[in-house]
Amino acid sequence: MEPDHMTETISSRMPTPEEVDILDLPSGEPVMILTRHTFTKNDVPIEFARGFHAASRFEWTYSFQLPDQ
């Protein structure tokens, strides 16, 4: 199954105690959550991923070509 398109969602929230330990977060720092769903050309889901990141160390950049009109 070959990937064709994906949807990504970025959100923030306060971390769980386990995330505080894993990311070595200072008190009061939120986490950024990146959720990705990847699909085939026929919209069959083939991948799901979720990552959590320290907000102070998180950066996300997109680069893409705009279609001709």
Side-chain angles (χ1 to χ4, degrees), residues 22-58:
I22 291 170
L23 295 173
D24 192 26
L25 296 174
S27 178
E29 180 167 355
V31 290
M32 303 299 294
I33 309 301
L34 173 64
T35 305
R36 177 185 302 130
H37 296 88
T38 306
F39 303 89
T40 66
K41 188 178 277 191
N42 297 324
D43 290 328
V44 175
I46 56 173
E47 178 192 44
F48 172 80
R50 180 180 294 136
F52 58 97
H53 312 272
S56 65
R57 301 184 300 250
F58 182 81

